[in-house]
Amino acid sequence: MSMPWAGGRCWRLNLVMFPSKALDMGLLKEILRGGNDKVVEAGACMAGGHSVEDNEPKYGLAVTGLVHPDRIWTNAGARPGMLSS
């Protein structure tokens, strides 16, 4: 997780899809713990999130924060196979 945001003011939200009737909820706990550990490591805070019952597990983070106008990254010139740095 990079931190291009001014002053490091950045918040993350968990996005979780999980089959709670098919998989042990302890697994979900470990997934959430791992995501939070990485957020803390990046110097941000977890602000909450959303969870949905689904047939297969999916996990991601949405990022909200502040960025200086001169440091905005866009994908306007992106082409297949390009790497972001």
Side-chain angles (χ1 to χ4, degrees):
M1 244 181 278
S2 61
M3 286 290 290
W5 297 272
R9 291 176 287 183
C10 182
W11 305 269
R12 267 60 172 211
L13 296 173
N14 282 313
L15 303 170
V16 179
M17 281 64 48
F18 194 80
S20 64
K21 294 173 182 67
L23 294 177
D24 188 297
M25 292 299 284
L27 177 60
L28 177 58
K29 181 179 178 180
E30 292 303 313
I31 291 169
L32 294 173
R33 180 178 305 170
N36 188 67
D37 288 350
K38 286 300 178 183
V39 167
V40 169
E41 182 181 307
C45 63
M46 190 69 73
H50 296 281
S51 59
V52 176
E53 181 73 27
D54 199 359
N55 293 330
E56 60 183 66
K58 301 172 193 77
Y59 176 78
L61 293 167
V63 179
T64 302
L66 305 173
V67 63
H68 188 281
D70 294 336
R71 297 188 67 198
I72 295 174
W73 298 350
T74 73
N75 63 358
R79 293 184 314 276
M82 291 180 73
L83 299 176
S84 62
S85 54

